[in-house]
Every structure is written in structure tokens, then in C-alpha cells.
Amino acid sequence: MASDPLYINDRITIAGWELTEQFVLAGGPGGQNVNKVSTAVQLFYNLQTSPALNERVKINAIKLAGRRMSKEGVLMIEASRFRSQERNREDARERLKELILEAAKPPPPLRRKTKPTKGSVERRLKAKSGRSDVKKMRGRPSGE
């Protein structure tokens, strides 16, 4: 099933040969099933050498992956939320899809610099002079 391609959006599709799945024993509740059946899925995807992603998306995905990323550039997503192997496989693929969609988002628009209005500058200066007067009144009275 790992040979199925993973469709991210209309421009990004990860080929099945780029994804590697490994099944391991899952911890947590589940009774004897947990001890007997390898239901947890480890999905491996080599981000750095993948031809499916452009450089900007790769850089963003590496930042988003954090500790799930190995030094060799392989992303590992572990899914053990469900009790069945198939649902964990779908969960891992969905989480990879969400990570790449987040990395593929366009950057936010640049901030446009604005000048403060004349009224706001005047109000700020008036408030500053008011505070200055209050602080001057706190001093010792002059000896007159």
C-alpha cells in the first residue's frame, strides 16, 4: 500500500517509491492485541532528495518537521493513535500531507511601512509632557 502515490494538491504528488513504511509494536491500551500485532506505523520520507518538492517547500518542511527529521534528511512520522494497522497508515499519510501543505503555503505579504498621524504624534507628546509635569511635582519644594 506504500506504493500508492500520495496526492498533496494539484501541483504536488509524492510517488509511492519515495515513501517507506515500517510496522512496529504500539504501546498503550489495547490488551493482548498490543502485545501480538505490530499496528503502529513509521512512515519514512526523504525530504532532501525528493523530486516532488521545490526548494522553498523543502526548507519550510524541514523547519516544520523539527525533531522528526534525521541528520540525513529523512522525515519519520510515527502513527499509533488507532488500534488497526490500516487506520494508522492512513493517519501517518494524512499527517505527512498536512505538513507539506503547511510548508507549501505562500509567504505572508511584506509589511507596508506607515507614518503615525499628526494627531497621534501630538497626543503622544502631550501625554509625555503631562507625565513630565507630574514627576517634577514629586521633587522637594523649593525654599521660598
Side-chain angles (χ1 to χ4, degrees):
M1 198 81 155
S3 60
D4 292 345
L6 179 61
Y7 297 102
I8 306 297
N9 60 21
D10 57 344
R11 291 174 296 163
I12 302 172
T13 301
I14 298 173
W17 59 267
E18 293 185 74
L19 300 173
T20 308
E21 290 176 342
Q22 182 178 342
F23 300 100
V24 294
L25 287 174
Q32 284 297 310
N33 192 54
V34 170
N35 302 329
K36 292 189 293 187
V37 184
S38 298
T39 55
V41 178
Q42 290 178 338
L43 180 67
F44 297 97
Y45 175 57
N46 196 333
L47 263 172
Q48 290 186 332
T49 61
S50 175
L53 306 176
N54 62 34
E55 285 304 312
R56 184 185 68 82
V57 175
K58 284 181 188 179
I59 291 168
N60 290 344
I62 289 170
K63 287 178 188 172
L64 288 171
R67 298 187 70 208
R68 294 177 286 185
M69 199 72 183
S70 72
K71 291 178 183 166
E72 294 82 31
V74 178
L75 172 69
M76 184 193 77
I77 296 177
E78 188 162 351
S80 59
R81 192 180 312 174
F82 301 104
R83 289 178 66 173
S84 75
Q85 200 177 70
E86 190 58 40
R87 287 181 67 188
N88 282 329
R89 174 185 276 159
E90 291 169 10
D91 184 41
R93 290 170 71 96
E94 188 62 34
R95 284 167 40 198
L96 175 63
K97 180 179 178 179
E98 288 171 6
L99 185 131
I100 293 175
L101 280 175
E102 185 68 29
K105 283 185 180 175
L110 294 175
R111 182 184 172 275
R112 194 170 11 146
K113 294 180 182 176
T114 58
K115 287 185 176 179
T117 62
K118 190 174 179 181
S120 67
V121 171
E122 289 174 0
R123 284 190 299 273
R124 183 178 62 86
L125 293 176
K126 185 178 177 186
K128 281 173 69 96
S129 65
R131 290 295 302 160
S132 173
D133 292 340
V134 166
K135 290 187 175 190
K136 281 179 190 170
M137 296 300 286
R138 290 184 189 157
R140 290 184 180 242
S142 58
E144 292 179 9

